[in-house]
Amino acid sequence: MVDAWLAEHADDLVRWRRHIHANPELSRAEFATTEFVGEWLTKAGLDYEVLPGGTGIVCDLGPTDRPRIALRADMDALPMQEFTGLPFSSTAPGVSHACGHDAHTTVLLGAALALAEAEETLPVGVRLIFQPAEEVMPGGALDAVAAGAMVGVDRIFALHCDPRLEVGKIGLRTGAITSAADTVELILDSPGGHTSRPHLTSDLVYAIGTVITGLPGLLSRRVDPRTSTVMVWGAVSAGKAPNAIPQTGMLTGTVRTGDHATWELLEPLVREIVEGLLAPTGVRFQLNYKRGVPPVVNDPISVAMFENSILAMGPEALADTPQSGGGEDFSWYLEEAPGAMARLGVWSGEGEQLDLHQPTFDIDERALEVGVRTLTGIVLHA
């Protein structure tokens, strides 16, 4: 059935992807993309609901008296100028699909239309979740969950483009495949003073240096290294004059972990360490700890279901994949039901392997058919 559908609609997949790619929309502004997907679902005879924010779609098909599998794709683009030079490059200045969400949306739309042609014979119910706002925090997964997208769902699955994997391969692993990603913002202030007399004030720059090295180091001694927990600073600012101790300064960075239980402990642990480091300096501080997303942790049964679908394409299609230090709000769905995410190979096998979020990022469009086969296979082999 899938072979027949792809034989007829493979060119449609490419056209859909190029249309979405040329017309990217930022998080929670995916109105035209939502309308585009909705039109094709309607043509296939499927009813759908738009999420309360006006972007994103939830659509059910298949039997209602059996377990229900959810398939999710994200729809939003990045605030980044595209430099691919493609004939279907972004027409929106400063906005581009540099993370492959155009492919994710296309693959799920293709899977939806293929499954719709066999709706009466599907072994399980299917829920399609076209999600807005994955690229921001708090992300659109929370909006979808709040709107009831996971009510009645037994398992959920997703694909994400991987430019390090050759097209035709799907990367999969049991356990954590992404990391929790939190943001730390530390604002410091002191009376300031002259650099010749640091003993008469609180040396803010010295305090910053203490935290810059101390927090990542002590955190690594308080957390099991097997959890892949890492703290890295991304921005530091304080002072201008070489002979003046500044009054204010700021540090911002991220804390990431691949372990869900550790993620729950990180905020109070970071606060404890920062307080201990800064207490002797006399510098006042405000710590803003912003929890991001939990890690995506693939459960074994869902991984086995993914494997069945992937291996149906041939043993060479299945590949191992390492845990990523990046965050993904697909993890919020896994707070509601078990599931798994896999990595869709999009590298052509020739030339440079570009990374996600690069302005020159592109995919080998043969991956679209592979993605459709993978998602439909999860349902048909359930």
Side-chain angles (χ1 to χ4, degrees), residues 171-173 175-179 296-298 321-324 326 341-343:
L172 190 61
R173 64 180 284 123
I177 193 170
T178 71
S179 299
V296 173
V297 182
N298 291 345
T321 189
Q323 179 190 350
S324 166
M341 170 174 278
R343 305 199 180 281

Side-chain angles (χ1 to χ4, degrees), residues 14 21 193 226 267:
V14 173
H21 187 92
R226 293 171 295 181
E267 181 175 358

